[in-house]
């Protein structure tokens, strides 16, 4: 439960546009989000990178690190 709350807290702290992309990424592929939002693939990938950085800054480990 605490991990879920931590994730929710990080999501709440994201700017609205990044939060929307983060929520869409939970259930859709980048290609689907591009079609749904009309944003470019590079814009969605950049947003995903920013979201990932927000989680790392919040103390979530980057995948593949010990």
């Amino acid at each position: 439960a605490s991990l879920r709350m931590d994730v929710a807290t990080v999501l709440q702290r994201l700017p609205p546009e990044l939060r929307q992309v983060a929520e869409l990424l939970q259930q859709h592929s980048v290609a689907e989000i591009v079609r749904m939002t009309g944003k470019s693939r590079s814009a969605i990938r950049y947003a995903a990178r920013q979201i990932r950085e927000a989680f790392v800054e919040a103390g979530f480990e980057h995948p593949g690190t010990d």
Side-chain angles (χ1 to χ4, degrees), residues 2-13 26 55 60:
S2 115
L3 177 62
R4 187 173 299 152
M5 287 175 52
D6 291 343
V7 169
T9 299
V10 175
L11 290 173
Q12 288 173 352
R13 292 180 180 164
Q26 293 177 49
F55 276 91
F60 287 83

Side-chain angles (χ1 to χ4, degrees), residues 1 11 24 29 36 53 56 61:
L11 290 173
L24 290 171
S29 69
M36 293 166 69
E53 288 171 9
V56 171
E61 291 297 318

Side-chain angles (χ1 to χ4, degrees), residues 10-11 13-15 17-19 21-22 25 39 42-58:
V10 175
L11 290 173
R13 292 180 180 164
L14 291 173
E17 190 169 308
L18 288 181
R19 189 177 322 124
V21 173
L25 282 168
K39 296 182 189 304
S42 62
I44 300 302
R45 286 190 172 149
Y46 180 69
R49 218 174 8 247
Q50 291 179 295
I51 294 162
R52 196 174 304 118
E53 288 171 9
F55 276 91
V56 171
E57 287 175 13

